[in-house]
Amino acid sequence: MAIIVDDSEKVLLNEGEVQPKKHISTEESLWYLDNGVSNHMTGVRSHFKEINEAISGRVRFGDGSYVEIKGRGSILFECKNQEQMIIFDVYCISNLKNNMLSLGQLTEIRCKVVMEGNRLLIYNHRRNLLFKVERSKNMLYNVRLKISTPACLLANIDDEAWMWHTRLGHLNFDSIKDMT
C-alpha cells in the first residue's frame, strides 16, 4: 500500500505481521465498532428485524476486494437496561465473517462517540450511555450484543381497563370510566 504525502514524497506501509484470518469470528453476537467502515453490516440474515432485499450493490474493502450486498434493513438489540435499540440501514452481506457497526453512521443519528485512553464510549441522542468498550490487544473495539425480537405487550394484558386504554389509543382512565 502506498500513501502519497505530496508529489515528491511517498510513504510505503508494509505490515507483514497482519493476519486477518486470525481475527475472523464465528460468534454471531460479536460486533466490531469501527471508524473506518462506512456502513453497518453483517453476514447473519437472522439478525434482521426487517430487510429490503431489493437493495443491492457492492462493498469494497481496503484490499480492493468486493462483496455483494444482499439487502438492507434494521436490527433490534437488547440493551443491558432491558430497553431495546434499533439500528437502521444495516447491510446484509452473506459472505461477511464479522459484524460491523459504523461509528460514522452512529454519529449521523446524533450518537456521541468518545474515545479516551483505551476506552470507547457511545451515548445516544439523550446522552444515555449505550456502549462502554475496552480496546482489545489487537487495537480493535468489539462488543457482544444480544439480538432481540419485538415484544408485543398487548398479548399479555389481562386487566380489561388496560386493554381498553390501549384499544382507545391510550385514552386516560378517567375518560374510560366516564364512558362506561
Side-chain angles (χ1 to χ4, degrees):
M1 176 186 336
I3 298 176
I4 307 294
V5 177
D6 63 30
D7 290 338
S8 64
E9 187 176 354
K10 189 183 278 189
V11 177
L12 298 176
L13 302 176
N14 185 6
E15 277 292 337
E17 298 299 314
V18 174
Q19 301 170 351
K21 290 184 180 181
K22 182 178 177 183
H23 301 291
I24 291 175
S25 172
T26 57
E27 189 177 340
E28 291 183 353
S29 66
L30 187 67
W31 289 77
Y32 288 94
L33 303 165
D34 195 335
N35 201 34
V37 66
S38 57
N39 293 87
H40 308 309
M41 53 185 93
T42 182
V44 184
R45 174 68 173 84
S46 62
H47 281 348
F48 287 88
K49 174 178 114 23
E50 56 142 5
I51 188 166
N52 179 353
E53 293 179 335
I55 303 291
S56 63
R58 298 189 314 172
V59 173
R60 184 173 62 95
F61 292 109
D63 66 356
S65 64
Y66 289 91
V67 291
E68 296 295 320
I69 297 170
K70 302 293 185 185
R72 184 178 66 205
S74 59
I75 296 177
L76 186 65
F77 294 110
E78 186 174 308
C79 301
K80 294 200 184 290
N81 61 2
Q82 305 306 314
E83 287 186 25
Q84 294 180 329
M85 175 185 166
I86 298 177
I87 300 288
F88 295 98
D89 298 326
V90 181
Y91 284 139
C92 181
I93 300 173
S94 57
N95 295 333
L96 196 64
K97 303 296 183 208
N98 294 302
N99 303 310
M100 309 292 289
L101 286 178
S102 165
L103 294 179
Q105 230 177 325
L106 289 174
T107 61
E108 285 180 347
I109 59 169
R110 298 183 7 222
C111 286
K112 180 179 179 182
V113 177
V114 177
M115 297 174 84
E116 52 185 31
N118 66 342
R119 195 173 291 154
L120 173 71
L121 306 163
I122 299 178
Y123 299 89
N124 67 10
H125 67 281
R126 293 184 309 267
R127 300 301 185 228
N128 297 330
L129 182 65
L130 297 176
F131 305 119
K132 179 179 177 182
V133 182
E134 297 289 325
R135 185 175 57 224
S136 64
K137 291 179 184 174
N138 59 1
M139 304 301 280
L140 297 173
Y141 295 95
N142 58 56
V143 62
R144 282 173 178 70
L145 297 174
K146 182 178 179 184
I147 304 300
S148 188
T149 54
C152 181
L153 300 176
L154 292 178
N156 296 324
I157 294 180
D158 292 327
D159 186 341
E160 195 170 346
W162 277 98
M163 182 181 66
W164 281 106
H165 164 75
T166 306
R167 284 182 178 169
L168 295 170
H170 304 286
L171 184 65
N172 68 61
F173 285 99
D174 288 334
S175 296
I176 293 172
K177 188 175 166 185
D178 290 342
M179 287 173 49
T180 58

